[in-house]
Amino acid sequence: MKDASPAPVYLKDYTPFSHLVDEVHLTFQLEPAKTRVISRIRFRPNPDASAVPLRLDGEGLTLLWAKIDGTAVTPEVDEAGLTCDVPDAPFLWEAEVEINPEANTALEGLYRSSGMYCTQCEAQGFRKITYYPDRPDVMSIFTVRIEGEESVLLSNGNPVASGAGWAEWHDPWPKPAYLFALVAGNLVKHPDRFTTASGREVELNIWVRPGDEGKCAFGMEALKRSMAWDEEVYGREYDLDIFNIVAVDDFNMGAMENKGLNIFNSSCVLASPETSTDANFERIEAIIAHEYFHNWTGNRITCRDWFQLCLKEGLTVYRDAQFTSDMRSAPVKRIEDVIALRARQFREDNGPLAHPVRPAFFVEINNFYTATVYEKGAELIGMLKTLVGDEAYARALDLYFNRHDGDAATIEDWLKVFEDVTGRDLSQFKRWYEHAGTPRLHVTEDYEGDRYTLTFRQETPPTPGQPEKPPRVIPIALGLLGPNGDEILPTQVLEMTEAEQSFTFDGIPSRPTPSILRGFSAPVILTRPSSNSERAFLLAHDTDPFNKWEAGRALARDGLLSMITKGAAPDDLYLDAVLTMARDDSLDPAFRALALALPSQDDLAQSLHEAGHTPDPQAIWDALETLRQARAHRLQDLAPRLYAQYQVEAPYAPDAEQSGARALANAALGLITRLDGGTQAQAQFDRADNMTQQLAALANLLQAGRGETALSAFYDQWKDDRLVIDKWFSLQVLHAAPDRAAEITRALTEHPDFTPRNPNRFRATLGALAQNHAGFHHASGAGYALLAQWLKTLDPINPQTTARMCTAFETWTRYDAARQDKARDALEDLLDLDGLSRDTTEMVTRILEA
């Protein structure tokens, strides 16, 4: 086993780059295996930096020649770049390198995807294209010439000239190298136009492979809605003459916000009712908005260094969540975001991969594109907005854009605009950025006379490298309900700043029921003694949608924990409460569908672990199955009514109203399937005219054990659509019984359509195994061994995807000794791989150190 991860890079060691870059001219002579890149870069000494030899980053490059002010030079070249003596004055650097896009399976830098040239430069991919100071605080204006046989040649900015076999692009806005983009291929476009608030016409295009033109309309409408929303809500207008999106099959991430040329994983932009589910449509809308919003929060204002990644990502995730809330149901969006936060970020925060929202160090920056940076980073923006208020937030954002346009900014810059606008001292709030871990908020209460007192105590468990955690400022949104369910205290925000703090309310005529942390006003774990009857009361009466949902979830979770640890029967109080909720037609159908979902297996495993129990994945799976069956019987009269009531007769539309109706109808179908063995599901599968209905029916048939014929029919129907076949792979693994999950996954890896070279297909298959909790953690250890085996295969091909998939193992220490031994063996076997990448070495080492 390797001894340690590579050496870390520290925030405290940041120094400015030795030189400023005034302009960059790049010429690409495209050839699949021998692309030539000629660079002409104007440097001048940075007055704020020390005078040192020029150091440029570069990996996997063949340097053909280099010149300074027209005179040939011979730099000192190593594996990570080159060093060269330069004049103590402005100078012109010129160089030519050769690279091999065809062999670039890591999908970083310039690579080929099914015959198309494309790039991915965030975080440090540009150094695989040419020698350059590949860091976000070095910003410059780029002009790019592309020479190639492809019919479409695209780069950042505006097109300035073109001819047979060449095109030139100029981006007038200074940008760091990570925002550089190039695409060349035989593509077709879905065009449109947008008129900005100031009356400027912008050309819009979504570029796709021939045959995908019919899947662009929704993405284009989502783009135009995003542009209009950003003008209306944030006052941000688009700043180029053209905006291009390109769909790429082989892409490590969801999408990339390159200035004026967004490159998207095809799964995040291509959509049609026949091939995409309602969830796909909503995700596409959100991702298109996210990448567009980066034009200001990420591009015009970027981050000084990669330690500030949360500055651009947290703010942009928050903005795309606001957008989705305005386009769809705000309460449902908030609940969905919290479900995802708890499933991914809380798990990360409470394990060996815990790190602050702004890390103090990293080994491989690609490993810090995490839920903590993105989702928890967005939660911090929301808390800040809650603390200062909507009006002050708007003024602070205006100041941020005005003060830092064209800057590479820091978290300190971000907080300073709020301090300047509000006069507040945000030094305590800054702790949220500097300290890892999820705070626990313990609550006690006292009622005497007409005085009601709530006492809160906060604590944050130790995390790697941070044993002690000082108190943070926590905004606690609170309401009080009377005995009849009336709201006797409307929502107000309590600001907790001490380790322990009490808040008193006078004039309360009877003992109230508190509704604490409304809207999930802070990313904390709330601990308060509560009875099931109180939870049922909140589920019935709470006016806050999030806490209404939370009460039902807690009721279900506690009942399941009793079933697992005590052998209890399903809780009648929960079954009655969920029946009352489900039949309430005044509630949003989408909300009811969410409220019918049970806590995840991983959520239950973490709850058991924190309560001092050793989770048994099989027992968790069994308890969930028992409760689902009991609930189906309790709702057997209601489920057919809901199923019929919420069938959508109108032509398909992926809007909030229809999506909510289908979600509730398909939740009802899940109940019905447990009673009729799949008869109704088969009927829905046979008549489905959209992917939402077809896939829901297929999932229910698999659950009922009669999905083989439907699986075969589904494959035959969609075998030529790569994105739908990803669903086919994933569904079989997700719905596999625990004792067959690894076996089914292994069989799918032998299918002719499986390939580890496509990240989407790999995640759809091996990623689905990691999500099948009881299957992956099966006592045999087969899930651990299979995933580790495939990660060994993938690492030499694509280190980024490999490293991210390692997170499946991050909770290995909460299980029994036998499972721990099998997980450790799998991880150590992976770590012993000769030539294991930096990305994967760091992740496995950190996980094993738990």
Side-chain angles (χ1 to χ4, degrees), residues 137 321 400 469 586 801 846:
D137 59 343
Y400 178 66
K469 307 295 174 75
S586 69
T801 299
R846 289 168 65 196

Side-chain angles (χ1 to χ4, degrees), residues 536-606:
F537 174 84
L538 289 169
L539 179 60
H541 299 292
D542 204 328
T543 56
D544 179 68
F546 174 80
N547 274 3
K548 190 181 193 72
W549 168 83
E550 179 82 307
R553 174 188 171 277
L555 198 57
R557 184 198 61 219
D558 285 7
L560 283 161
L561 295 179
S562 291
M563 292 170 67
I564 295 164
T565 60
K566 302 174 183 177
D571 182 11
D572 279 326
L573 192 58
Y574 164 73
L575 295 173
D576 289 341
V578 80
L579 173 62
T580 300
M581 180 278 303
R583 64 157 59 110
D584 185 353
D585 288 338
S586 69
L587 296 175
D588 180 358
F591 173 87
R592 282 187 278 170
L594 270 180
L596 282 167
L598 292 172
S600 70
Q601 296 175 60
D602 189 76
D603 183 2
L604 293 168
Q606 183 63 25

Side-chain angles (χ1 to χ4, degrees), residues 41 62 88 176 265 272 432 516 590 718:
I41 307 168
T62 300
D88 187 18
N265 187 313
S272 71
W432 280 102
I516 304 172
W718 298 113

Side-chain angles (χ1 to χ4, degrees), residues 310 345 348-349 353-358 370-378:
C310 59
Q345 198 282 318
E348 191 169 85
D349 239 355
L353 301 180
H355 61 274
V357 173
R358 182 174 70 176
T370 63
T372 297
V373 167
Y374 280 67
E375 279 71 33
K376 188 172 182 179

